[in-house]
């Protein structure tokens, strides 16, 4: 059986914390897309750690962690991450497996990412500059190198061919950067990568499923950053939605049971692109401050706004969400009034649908106001103790989306998660 856990907004919903919490209920945690653009924050023994490519089940001794074929892998970042999990006493060689079909991010992918952003002028995506877009372009363009290629004696010549192709592209974009140091680090990291359990991911995972093991597929980014259904072109380059699990792990759709969608109690976005409920005022600033809304990967300030039910409803539809987890509810503790976006108004017309190209439309969010709960909820451990105003806020969201919040997260700690009926 397979469950999926993914973000329903523009990323950073708190997926890492929630996966870490649910991990003991699963045998395998598997990443199915994205790469080092992700930053998943966990607290282990009250110490913070940010994971980029290693699945968030790594701190559980008996959990298998798989980096699936849908991921684009940066060996240099992986090596650094392995060092940081080892500092927690984790034997990463024991429980971390990598699919041989996983594509590699090479140093010139990162250079191409930079060059592409520079060439866009005011239309920058605000990418994390980790080489994600160029690596996926080489995958779909049928030029990329995969982890399994490392075991081929022709790997270096394949690499040189690809590098030459990239160099011509970089020259044509008039982008020059000395990548000698990157490359050195890259080749060292490839040696490190060769020491992992490199497996045929699809047989590996299907064999375990047929033996009755349970899998949790861990999404990166968020549904509104999906390359097909997000706010294109301001998206990432992978399918972040539940359908990505099938292609990103080699799992058939009928094996998927629950799709657990994670949303903040409000909304954030990092990087450029449309964000209808964004607050450019003191309230937005206050949410950023209280919620410590700064990127886990790039440190950039996150844009903040009210929860957007139009976008969330769309995300629930394309993912087939069966359960919701609402995170960072505590961040709203001190607000007298909260707003919820229930529709978009475009040129005087109200709609509950996400339009084709949001960035070209003057979207005015139509907001419904709710009284805040005005109390500290961070120490609450049971549903019965939740403030009435908060229950009302959540009841409205459940009704609007037709899916219910099953857990409320009221702080970054492992123990700060309340099950609700
Ligand atoms: P992810 O990419 O979805 O895993 O999320 P990030 O780790 O990028 O960002 C979520 C941030 O919120 C991290 O700093 C978490 O430690 C923190 N966090 C997660 N859940 C909660 C919560 O319920 N309340 C508060 N205050 N912080 C939370
Ligand atoms: P997690 O898994 C938030 C955003 C970038 C940029 C766009 C494209 O931590 O939720 P890319 O580097 O993927 O080409 O950038 O996507 N982005 C994220 N935003 N959380 C993430 O991951 C993100 N990964 C990419 O800021 O706007
Ligand atoms: Mg993140």
């Amino acid at each position: 059986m397979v469950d999926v856990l993914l973000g329903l907004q523009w990323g950073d919903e708190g997926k890492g914390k929630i996966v870490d919490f649910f991990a003991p209920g699963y045998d395998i945690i598997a990443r199915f897309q994205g790469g080092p653009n992700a930053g998943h924050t966990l607290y282990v023994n009250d110490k913070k750690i940010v994971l980029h490519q290693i699945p968030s089940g790594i701190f559980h001794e008996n959990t298998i962690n798989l980096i699936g074929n849908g991921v684009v892998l940066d060996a240099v970042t992986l090596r650094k991450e392995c060092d940081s999990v080892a500092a927690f006493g984790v034997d990463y060689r024991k429980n971390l497996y990598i699919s041989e079909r996983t594509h590699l991010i090479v140093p010139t992918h990162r250079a191409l990412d930079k060059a592409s952003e520079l060439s866009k002028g005011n239309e920058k995506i605000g990418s994390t500059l980790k080489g994600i877009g160029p690596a996926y372009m080489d995958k779909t363009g049928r030029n990329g190198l995969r982890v399994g290629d490392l075991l081929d004696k022709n790997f270096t010549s394949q690499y040189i061919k690809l590098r030459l192709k990239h160099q011509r592209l970089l020259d044509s974009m008039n982008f020059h950067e000395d990548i000698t140091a990157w490359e050195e680090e890259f080749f060292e990291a490839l040696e490190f990568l060769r020491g992992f359990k490199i497996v045929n991911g699809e047989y590996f995972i299907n064999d375990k499923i047929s033996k009755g093991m349970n899998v949790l597929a861990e999404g990166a980014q968020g549904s509104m950053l999906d390359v097909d259904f997000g706010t294109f072109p301001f998206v990432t380059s992978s399918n972040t939605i539940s359908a990505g699990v099938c292609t990103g792990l080699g799992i058939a759709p009928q094996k998927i049971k629950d799709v657990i969608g994670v949303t903040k109690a409000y909304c954030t976005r990092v990087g450029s692109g449309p964000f209808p409920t964004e607050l450019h005022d003191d309230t937005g600033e206050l949410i950023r401050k209280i919620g410590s809304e700064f990127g886990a990967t790039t440190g950039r300030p996150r844009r903040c706004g009210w929860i957007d039910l139009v976008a969330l409803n769309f995300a629930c539809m394309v993912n087939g969400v069966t359960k919701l987890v609402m995170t960072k509810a505590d961040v709203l503790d001190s607000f007298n009034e909260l707003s919820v976006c229930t529709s978009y108004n475009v040129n005087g017309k109200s709609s509950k649908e996400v339009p084709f190209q949001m960035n070209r439309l003057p979207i005015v969010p139509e907001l419904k106001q709710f009284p805040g709960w005005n109390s500290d909820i961070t120490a609450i451990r049971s549903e019965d103790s939740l403030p009435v105003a908060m229950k009302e806020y959540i009841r409205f969201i459940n009704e609007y989306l037709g899916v219910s919040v099953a857990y409320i997260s009221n702080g970054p700690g492992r123990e700060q998660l309340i099950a609700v009926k």
Side-chain angles (χ1 to χ4, degrees), residues 12-17 39-41 43 296 302 327-331 409-412:
D12 303 328
E13 296 87 352
K15 300 175 290 293
K17 167 188 159 161
H40 295 180
T41 313
Y43 280 84
R302 294 176 183 148
T327 57
K328 306 196 85 159
D330 54 300
V331 174
S409 173
N410 57 338

Side-chain angles (χ1 to χ4, degrees), residues 10-12 15 37-40 125-128 220-221 235-236 270 300:
W10 281 280
D12 303 328
K15 300 175 290 293
N37 49 349
H40 295 180
I125 306 295
S127 111
T128 58
Q221 291 78 57
V235 293
T236 190
V270 60
R300 292 178 291 178

